Structures are given as structure tokens and as C-alpha cells.
Amino acid sequence: MSPSPVILILGGGKNVGASVAKRFAGQGYKVALVARNSQSTTNSENSMTISADLADADSLSHVFDRVEQKFGTPNVVVYNAASVKPVPRDDPLQLDVSDLNNDFAVNTASVLAAAKRAIQGFAKLPSEMNKTFIYTGNLLNIEVMPALVSLGIGKSATAHLVKTAAQAYGAQGYHFYYADERKADGSAAFMDINGPNHAEFYYELAEDKQQRPWWQTFVGGQGYKSFPVKLA
């Protein structure tokens, strides 16, 4: 008998994180949410919240341990946290190294830590169980927005990390995705990020038995879309 499906959501905000939690819970998943400002409490038999600062990659070990002790090994991990220190768009090199390091820790270094623990867990799960890691991205891995340079550095680095993992671990049945919501015309959805859209699409990815292209651009819950790449 296969264990119950478990999703771990790193970055449990009120929009995407909460929507993803609700969607997966409705499908019988046990849900663990991680947020920096949450109290570390267990809410119910099938859901829990954990307080952790994802600027500290070492905190991921404690997070995964807590989830495994309560629910078992997560077969779906969603990394939804992000950090950015805005700078003047006409002078982006005003960015302090210390601010870059903090943002990079959240946007990339802790993603690596989470992915490492995720695949350690995936290896323990039954072969017939889907195993999926999803990173909430945007178009900053290809576009330049000077005021958001630290976020763009992190998204670019993590896109490379996700692509590498998808290629390296695909044969083992581990699926990795960089998920990038867009508007219908292919432009960024920064000001119109839709939590239910992410929830629907993330559930679709998690339930797919096959690895799709590692970079998933999507509009609403409509699935993968191919947008022309524009390099600014």
C-alpha cells in the first residue's frame, strides 16, 4: 500500500502558497506550509505550518525532518519563496553585496538545499508514486528589469539549477519544473499573480507521470504555452 501523498510548500503566503495548499488538500494530500512569520504549530491531522527563515539554507533540514515525522516523506515539494532588494532602475549597481547575498540565499541557495532533501526523500518512496519539485519562477531568467537585478540573478541561477536537475534525475522519475505564469500575450504577470492559477497548474504538473519541458510557462490553468523569448 502506497503512503499518503504529501506536499511541502516552502513559502506559504496568502496568494500562491495558500491556494496551492487548498487545491492539494482537496485531493487528499497532507499539506505542510512553511513561512517565516508563522508560528510553528500543527493545525490538524492533515495539515501543519512550520516557521522557518529560508534565508538560512540550514533550516531546510529541520523543516523536512518535521514534515517526515508528522506526515511521512513529501512526494511534491513547491518552492514558492522569493526575496528582492529593489534598486534605482537607472543605477542598478547600487545593489549592496550584502543585499545580494541575502536575496540569493532565499532565491537560490535554499532551493538547492530543498532540492537535495527532496531527492533523498524521493528515493525512499514507491516507484509508482509521482515525485515532483516545482519552483515558482518568472520571466527574469531571460528578461532584464534593472530595479530587480538581485531577483533576476536568483531566478537565472535557479532556472539553471532546475534545468540541470530535470536532466540529471529524469531517468529516476523525479520531475523538476521552473513555473512561470504569464499574461495571454506572453508578458509578465507580476502585478496579476493568480494563486488559483498556480494551484491548478501545479496540481496538473504533480499528477503527470511524464517529465514535461523543465521550463513551464502558463496562462491561468491552461497548461504549457510557448512564448517567444525576448532578450532585453
Side-chain angles (χ1 to χ4, degrees):
M1 181 177 177
S2 294
S4 298
V6 178
I7 182 171
L8 169 58
I9 304 167
L10 298 157
K14 295 180 180 180
N15 189 15
V16 174
S19 296
V20 173
K22 181 178 179 180
R23 180 70 171 93
F24 279 76
Q27 297 299 318
Y29 275 73
K30 297 182 184 298
V31 177
L33 276 166
V34 176
R36 184 175 60 183
N37 296 321
S38 293
Q39 293 184 348
S40 184
T41 58
T42 300
N43 298 88
S44 71
E45 182 180 354
N46 296 315
S47 66
M48 68 187 300
T49 58
I50 302 171
S51 178
D53 184 357
L54 296 178
D56 177 10
D58 291 339
S59 70
L60 272 299
S61 180
H62 170 71
V63 167
F64 275 82
D65 287 347
R66 284 284 308 278
V67 176
E68 290 179 1
Q69 289 165 8
K70 176 65 178 177
F71 294 145
T73 301
N75 67 297
V76 178
V77 177
V78 172
Y79 196 98
N80 185 56
S83 179
V84 60
K85 176 68 174 181
V87 292
R89 66 178 61 189
D90 60 349
D91 192 10
L93 297 189
Q94 285 286 342
L95 178 67
D96 288 339
V97 172
S98 60
D99 290 328
L100 173 61
N101 287 340
N102 180 77
D103 290 348
F104 192 81
V106 176
N107 298 329
T108 301
S110 287
V111 183
L112 173 60
K116 288 165 71 72
R117 275 299 299 261
I119 64 169
Q120 290 172 15
F122 292 168
K124 298 184 291 187
L125 292 171
S127 59
E128 67 272 14
M129 200 168 196
N130 288 4
K131 306 164 185 76
T132 308
F133 187 101
I134 303 170
Y135 175 78
T136 302
N138 57 36
L139 52 59
L140 287 177
N141 61 314
I142 56 166
E143 293 277 4
V144 172
M145 295 185 177
L148 305 179
V149 61
S150 70
L151 185 61
I153 289 169
K155 295 298 185 185
S156 299
T158 304
H160 185 88
L161 173 62
V162 171
K163 181 178 181 180
T164 299
Q167 292 182 0
Y169 300 103
Q172 298 176 48
Y174 307 164
H175 302 166
F176 285 82
Y177 295 107
Y178 180 97
D180 170 8
E181 186 184 23
R182 303 289 188 94
K183 296 180 181 178
D185 63 1
S187 62
F190 285 134
M191 303 306 295
D192 300 296
I193 294 297
N194 187 294
N197 286 352
H198 282 76
E200 190 64 33
F201 190 55
Y202 286 13
Y203 183 72
E204 181 182 319
L205 290 177
E207 291 296 299
D208 199 330
K209 295 291 185 182
Q210 303 297 319
Q211 170 78 48
R212 301 184 185 186
W214 67 272
W215 180 11
Q216 288 284 308
T217 51
F218 66 99
V219 175
Q222 301 173 23
Y224 179 81
K225 300 290 183 180
S226 178
F227 295 112
V229 174
K230 174 187 174 185
L231 297 177

